[in-house]
Amino acid sequence: MRCPFCGHDASQVKDSRPTDDGAAIRRRRQCEGCAARFTTFERIQLRDLTVVKSESRREPFDREKLLRSISIAARKRPVEPVRLEKLVSGIQRQLETSGEAEVSAKRIGEMVMEGLKVLDSVAYIRFASVYREFSEARDFEEFAGSVEEAGRG
């Protein structure tokens, strides 16, 4: 593992343990060149996924980008970060085990919407406003009304 401080190629693992959600291994490392310490995370990846955007552009699946967008929707909400991590891990696992190398951004968005609907209705509406490209207040009103009705049903 290359040191992020000096670029030296060798480091020693000082400590390894699973993350809170058990989806990764956290490793504390020490550079053999400059003795700096840093942390790496190791995750299981079953296959490389490619995301197909609406304009047919393709890009590699980026777990951190997905987590960032979900975290923005859940900002200042009573949702623990570990629950967001679990949501992202679950989505990634479903995508990797689907057998498809390419997945549409729309499908990922729908999976996020389903997960956020259960976690927090405000985060769900926030994500939907970007994902579904709300352009005026009426769009929010209609969507929030449908969420409220679903909550009563």
Side-chain angles (χ1 to χ4, degrees):
M1 179 64 59
R2 184 179 307 270
C3 174
F5 303 104
C6 72
H8 190 76
D9 285 337
S11 64
Q12 286 184 339
V13 175
K14 295 295 184 181
D15 179 45
S16 288
R17 66 181 98 160
T19 56
D20 290 338
D21 65 356
I25 304 258
R26 177 186 183 273
R27 298 195 193 282
R28 285 293 294 157
R29 296 177 176 270
Q30 184 169 5
C31 174
E32 293 179 2
C34 69
R37 289 189 177 223
F38 56 98
T39 302
T40 59
F41 291 88
E42 184 178 313
R43 295 187 184 281
I44 295 173
Q45 182 175 336
L46 300 175
R47 70 180 68 230
D48 287 332
L49 293 170
T50 301
V51 178
V52 181
K53 302 293 212 165
S54 59
E55 60 278 354
S56 298
R57 191 171 41 91
R58 288 167 166 66
E59 64 182 50
F61 176 79
D62 184 346
R63 183 184 197 288
E64 294 307 313
K65 182 178 177 182
L66 180 61
L67 180 59
R68 247 187 339 268
S69 66
I70 294 171
S71 296
I72 289 168
R75 186 177 292 148
K76 295 185 180 182
R77 296 298 304 153
V79 180
E80 296 177 24
V82 70
R83 295 186 73 195
L84 300 179
E85 280 280 346
K86 284 182 180 181
L87 173 59
V88 172
S89 293
I91 290 170
Q92 184 176 10
R93 196 171 311 112
Q94 282 181 311
L95 295 172
E96 288 178 344
T97 58
S98 72
E100 300 171 26
E102 291 188 343
V103 61
S104 71
K106 181 178 178 171
R107 179 170 173 213
I108 295 172
E110 293 299 328
M111 293 170 87
V112 170
M113 296 265 297
E114 285 301 311
L116 285 176
K117 185 188 264 186
V118 175
L119 285 181
D120 186 84
S121 61
V122 172
Y124 172 62
I125 292 170
R126 285 178 180 167
F127 187 86
S129 72
V130 174
Y131 174 66
R132 295 203 173 147
E133 300 176 347
F134 291 177
S135 59
E136 50 190 66
R138 188 171 8 130
D139 297 335
F140 281 97
E141 289 174 25
E142 290 171 6
F143 190 79
S146 69
V147 170
E148 192 176 316
E149 287 174 18
R152 283 189 237 144

